[in-house]
Amino acid sequence: MSVGIRAAWAGNVDHVTEEVFQELNLDYPGLEKVKAYYQKKNMKGAAKELLKYYRSRQGITDPDIDLSKIKLSDKERKWAQEALDHTFYVHDGYQPSFNYGKDINWQYWPVKDNELRWQLHRHKWFTPMGKAYQTTRNVNYAKEWALQYADWIAKNPLLNIQKKVYEDNIKLSDQQKENVRFAWRPLEVSHRLQDQIHQFVLFLNSPAFTPEFLTLFLDNYHRHAVHITRNYSGRGNHLLFEAQRIFFAGTFFPEFKEAKRWQTEGIDILNKEIHMQVYDDGGQFELDPHYHLACINIFCRAIEIAQANHLQQVIPQSYIDTVEKMIEMYSNICFPDYSNPCFSDAKLTNYKEVIKDYRAWAKLFPKNKQIAYFASEGKKGELPPYLSKGFLKSGFFVFRNSWKQDATVMVVKAGPKGEWHCQPDNGTFDIWYNGRNLFPDSGSYIYAGDSIVQKQRDWFRQTAVHNTLTLNNQNLETTQSKTILWQPDGQIQTLVTENPSYKDLRHRRTVFFVDQTYFVIVDEALGKARGMIDVHFLPGDGKLAVDEAQHRVATCYDGRSNMVIQAIGSQPFKTIQEEGWYSLAYRHKTARPAISFRTEKQSDAPVRFVTLVYPCQEQGAVKSFKADIVEASEKSLKININIDGKKRQLQW
């Protein structure tokens, strides 16, 4: 397409994009009339027949869009309405939305957060505009969508990375060149590739979807697909998204000459990556509950697309079995209200969204009674035949005394080195008790951008703002925990993990879950390193009663979900109150207290802390705690404890 045609499309709909007829397989069944007009060089006639073909095409399905059952949420209605005035919903973290000008400025960057710039190019308001058109038949939604679609093409030319030149020999300013990395990052391209299928279905029969516009749409769509196949991300969830969406593209638009290759290439990548990115225990290698869930849905999405279009044979059984393991793991590491720990870069997942996911999974795995139980909120299916569960390869461990709302649940994260979204937090944990998360993870708050944004991200990624041990409050140098012992049964359940956290300093953490009621955590700083040792504990927001002399902390929460924390050390130490925050959603944070038990390691001798974490209904229910380390070596640990006069011996 020439530059002139691209620019003209922002306000003129009289042009046929002729290149599309070279991109389509005109011998595809149903395109006979299109081919005949094309061979006569009657491009308008060919475009009209092409539109007729797509408006009457059958047998190819978008499983997300049923035109007879379109639902427009209040949020989507708002986004669609605002988009008419070029106020675009880009990201939940930036509300109210920004206005991008009467003459849309696709390079507008009001806050130097990369996500704000990247996600602008996902056009999240386009599909709500389509739903608004379908539910109201107000043609203004269709007209404005078509104009914005064409305007974006005109102002965001594509860099051909393979040739190191810009298509059509367009001369770009440095600012325009810089914009390419946001507008044409493969992840954003794949997002558009997927959502434009929905928009195609929603707008196809509107007056704004003219034959000329159809040729522009298909040419642009082809450009997107080709760009992805030349520029796949190296690994991680980005690659999975891109592969799943290119599979969808090849399935939904089989008329393109390259469609079969897209379809095959996409599913081949997914088949390969599912065994590279997912451990044998079902954990995804980014070690982040939010992205674990996202990857489940990427893999499931491919299954849904294949089933809807009679292509089940392209999905091997090993792929399906792995997805099932991923779902079972996810249900184990979540809390009774379906919420997830916000380890690493995870966000708190909405209850309604998770139930929706389970119901979709139940359709894909109708024989799985565990999935059926969670999908039906306990009305069908069965709970797992166990309570506590360890996923040793990925390093997630769950102590649990019940699956009900009043349960006590501790989820520990102590595994291998994770991918980009993983944080240096080995040994950290969340504890749910009686309907409340007593130790919400710090989360991530924000991703990446200029120095101001990066500073905000770095604060939440600190090892020191997680429930684990630090040397001189520095981030872990190594995250590669190994499991020494996992014993999930009986009255005293035990986890022992060890991480080579710093040069010459190993952190060994032992967690005892006693009588399915309370936790005793033993932290050992082992090695020749010298410096300040801190063991950090970060409760949720709310008032604390802190007794620094007794190294005791008691929550003062309303309701019947409280706890007592008390530490005993192998040498003198201090109780320090520090700055604390946690983030459950992008750019949302809540202040909270933070406690550290601190001592100075001055020799090769180990430093040890024994900490009681006792969930209780009444504030300050535990009055006294004593502990003596009887034996401690590389291969064993034995301690005597006394809680309000009741003595126990804990050992491994």
Side-chain angles (χ1 to χ4, degrees):
M1 185 192 303
S2 72
V3 182
I5 291 176
R6 273 214 192 98
W9 257 104
N12 188 324
V13 292
D14 292 333
H15 298 285
V16 172
T17 305
E18 298 181 12
E19 287 84 351
V20 74
F21 298 111
Q22 299 170 24
E23 297 155 359
L24 293 169
N25 172 15
L26 297 182
D27 292 320
Y28 191 85
L31 297 183
E32 293 82 6
K33 291 183 179 179
V34 177
K35 181 178 180 179
Y37 274 106
Y38 176 71
Q39 288 178 332
K40 294 176 183 178
K41 302 189 184 303
N42 185 340
M43 300 306 167
K44 284 196 173 185
K48 287 180 180 179
E49 290 298 329
L50 188 60
L51 182 59
K52 288 180 184 178
Y53 163 81
Y54 276 113
R55 283 179 171 172
S56 62
R57 187 181 71 165
Q58 295 181 346
I60 296 173
T61 301
D62 176 358
D64 283 342
I65 303 294
D66 182 345
L67 293 179
S68 67
K69 298 178 181 178
I70 297 297
K71 293 182 180 180
L72 185 69
S73 70
D74 290 342
K75 281 186 176 181
E76 289 175 321
R77 183 177 292 105
K78 180 175 182 288
W79 299 338
Q81 184 63 36
E82 290 181 342
L84 295 177
D85 297 319
H86 301 172
T87 296
F88 299 148
Y89 161 67
V90 175
H91 197 293
D92 280 337
Y94 293 94
Q95 298 297 322
S97 299
F98 298 105
N99 186 275
Y100 286 79
K102 185 176 181 180
D103 181 12
I104 301 171
N105 180 3
W106 296 101
Q107 298 178 36
Y108 180 46
W109 198 3
V111 179
K112 299 303 184 285
D113 176 354
N114 290 349
E115 288 300 313
L116 184 62
R117 186 83 174 271
W118 273 318
Q119 294 199 32
L120 169 67
H121 296 289
R122 297 183 186 181
H123 305 155
K124 295 179 183 178
W125 62 94
F126 276 1
T127 299
M129 290 175 79
K131 291 182 178 181
Y133 168 71
Q134 285 292 330
T135 55
T136 67
R137 292 297 165 177
N138 182 343
V139 74
N140 289 332
Y141 288 111
K143 288 180 178 178
E144 182 60 31
W145 169 74
L147 290 173
Q148 291 180 19
Y149 188 94
D151 187 78
W152 185 89
I153 294 173
K155 295 175 182 175
N156 292 276
L158 170 61
L159 169 67
N160 186 325
I161 292 179
Q162 300 301 312
K163 297 181 180 179
K164 303 296 182 185
V165 298
Y166 289 88
E167 293 194 354
D168 306 321
N169 297 312
I170 300 171
K171 293 183 178 180
L172 301 181
S173 67
D174 290 341
Q175 185 178 8
Q176 288 174 312
K177 292 177 182 178
E178 191 263 351
N179 182 61
V180 169
R181 75 183 182 95
F182 291 102
W184 288 95
R185 187 173 71 153
L187 181 64
E188 275 59 57
V189 177
S190 76
H191 196 102
R192 296 194 296 269
L193 198 73
Q194 172 177 266
D195 285 5
Q196 285 177 19
I197 289 176
H198 308 330
Q199 294 147 29
F200 182 86
V201 175
L202 290 166
F203 286 116
L204 180 61
N205 288 302
S206 76
F209 217 110
T210 63
E212 292 80 9
F213 181 83
L214 172 64
T215 62
L216 176 76
F217 179 95
L218 291 175
D219 178 58
N220 181 57
Y221 196 86
H222 180 270
R223 185 178 298 239
H224 277 57
V226 170
H227 181 68
I228 290 174
T229 60
R230 293 176 178 174
N231 300 284
Y232 285 113
S233 297
R235 61 188 312 189
N237 69 80
H238 286 208
L239 177 58
L240 299 184
F241 276 119
E242 293 153 16
Q244 175 256 302
R245 290 160 177 170
I246 202 70
F247 171 66
F248 196 8
T251 300
F252 191 82
F253 286 112
E255 300 85 4
F256 283 116
K257 292 176 180 177
E258 296 161 280
K260 189 65 178 178
R261 180 174 67 82
W262 298 342
Q263 190 183 73
T264 302
E265 190 170 283
I267 203 63
D268 284 351
I269 291 172
L270 290 175
N271 285 333
K272 176 184 177 182
E273 290 296 317
I274 197 168
H275 299 297
M276 295 180 66
Q277 294 196 28
V278 182
Y279 295 123
D280 291 343
D281 59 12
Q284 199 264 350
F285 72 177
E286 289 181 272
L287 306 180
D288 175 316
H290 177 81
Y291 285 94
H292 180 98
L293 174 62
C295 290
I296 290 173
N297 287 329
I298 293 169
F299 292 128
C300 285
R301 182 82 180 126
I303 299 173
E304 291 167 351
I305 292 164
Q307 289 181 347
N309 292 282
H310 311 292
L311 295 168
Q312 297 94 321
Q313 69 277 7
V314 303
I315 311 288
Q317 189 61 43
S318 61
Y319 177 111
I320 295 170
D321 293 343
T322 301
V323 177
E324 195 168 10
K325 281 185 186 178
M326 294 180 74
I327 296 170
E328 290 173 350
M329 178 187 174
Y330 185 75
S331 63
N332 272 274
I333 66 171
C334 287
F335 299 120
D337 69 342
Y338 291 75
S339 64
N340 57 280
C342 287
F343 297 143
S344 297
D345 284 350
K347 317 297 183 293
L348 191 68
T349 306
N350 180 281
Y351 167 78
K352 291 182 179 179
E353 289 293 324
V354 179
I355 286 293
K356 182 180 177 182
D357 286 335
Y358 272 111
R359 289 171 181 165
W361 300 338
K363 292 179 181 178
L364 294 178
F365 301 96
K367 295 181 181 180
N368 189 301
K369 294 181 179 180
Q370 179 177 325
I371 295 174
Y373 181 90
F374 291 110
S376 66
E377 299 177 83
K379 297 180 182 68
K380 299 178 182 178
E382 297 176 3
L383 280 170
Y386 53 80
L387 292 171
S388 298
K389 179 74 171 177
F391 299 89
L392 277 66
K393 180 66 175 177
S394 11
F396 287 91
F397 303 87
V398 185
F399 293 106
R400 185 189 300 273
N401 68 359
S402 168
W403 291 91
K404 297 180 180 179
Q405 288 289 320
D406 62 356
T408 301
V409 184
M410 181 188 206
V411 186
V412 182
K413 178 175 180 281
K417 182 180 182 346
E419 294 301 313
W420 191 82
H421 286 287
C422 191
Q423 294 185 6
D425 59 358
N426 278 31
T428 197
F429 60 84
D430 279 20
I431 295 178
W432 168 280
Y433 173 69
N434 201 22
R436 180 176 185 140
N437 189 343
L438 297 171
F439 287 95
D441 191 89
S442 292
S444 62
Y445 184 65
I446 205 165
Y447 281 177
D450 66 6
S451 59
I452 295 174
V453 170
Q454 191 62 47
K455 184 177 180 180
Q456 293 170 335
R457 175 170 176 76
D458 290 345
W459 192 94
F460 282 85
R461 285 182 60 83
Q462 295 176 89
T463 304
V465 300
H466 294 86
N467 298 306
T468 191
L469 180 146
T470 58
L471 173 64
N472 297 323
N473 268 345
Q474 297 299 305
N475 288 342
L476 297 181
E477 296 171 2
T478 305
T479 52
Q480 193 69 46
S481 290
K482 65 177 180 179
T483 305
I484 296 173
L485 174 66
W486 169 240
Q487 202 293 102
D489 302 307
Q491 290 303 109
I492 302 176
Q493 300 175 23
T494 309
L495 169 66
V496 185
T497 69
E498 185 174 291
N499 188 60
S501 302
Y502 305 93
K503 182 181 179 181
D504 296 327
L505 190 82
R506 294 173 287 133
H507 172 211
R508 179 180 294 172
R509 168 161 277 181
T510 299
V511 180
F512 295 107
F513 185 31
V514 184
D515 296 336
Q516 295 190 327
T517 302
Y518 62 91
F519 303 92
V520 175
I521 302 172
V522 183
D523 289 295
E524 303 176 80
L526 309 170
K528 297 184 294 183
R530 310 288 196 270
M532 183 176 69
I533 301 295
D534 286 81
V535 180
H536 304 270
F537 291 90
L538 296 96
D541 54 310
K543 186 179 178 181
L544 297 182
V546 181
D547 185 336
E548 294 184 1
Q550 295 297 318
H551 309 299
R552 171 188 169 89
V553 177
T555 60
C556 305
Y557 301 151
D558 294 334
R560 302 179 69 80
S561 183
N562 281 276
M563 66 176 163
V564 173
I565 307 169
Q566 189 166 355
I568 294 171
S570 60
Q571 63 184 50
F573 67 99
K574 296 179 180 179
T575 297
I576 309 294
Q577 298 186 54
E578 301 178 312
E579 178 185 10
W581 298 87
Y582 67 92
S583 175
L584 304 180
Y586 201 87
R587 289 190 75 248
H588 291 271
K589 62 182 180 179
T590 302
R592 55 118 165 254
I595 302 297
S596 170
F597 301 121
R598 177 178 296 171
T599 191
E600 191 76 19
K601 189 173 185 296
Q602 298 177 326
S603 69
D604 292 358
V607 169
R608 296 185 173 92
F609 287 94
V610 180
T611 306
L612 172 70
V613 178
Y614 202 114
C616 48
Q617 293 187 11
E618 303 300 328
Q619 298 176 13
V622 175
K623 304 304 179 186
S624 68
F625 171 63
K626 297 178 181 179
D628 293 310
I629 299 175
V630 178
E631 177 185 326
S633 69
E634 288 290 329
K635 297 182 179 180
S636 64
L637 176 70
K638 183 185 294 184
I639 61 173
N640 292 331
I641 63 170
N642 185 323
I643 301 175
D644 290 343
K646 185 177 181 180
K647 298 178 180 179
R648 298 292 292 268
Q649 186 172 86
L650 310 175
Q651 63 180 338
W652 59 267

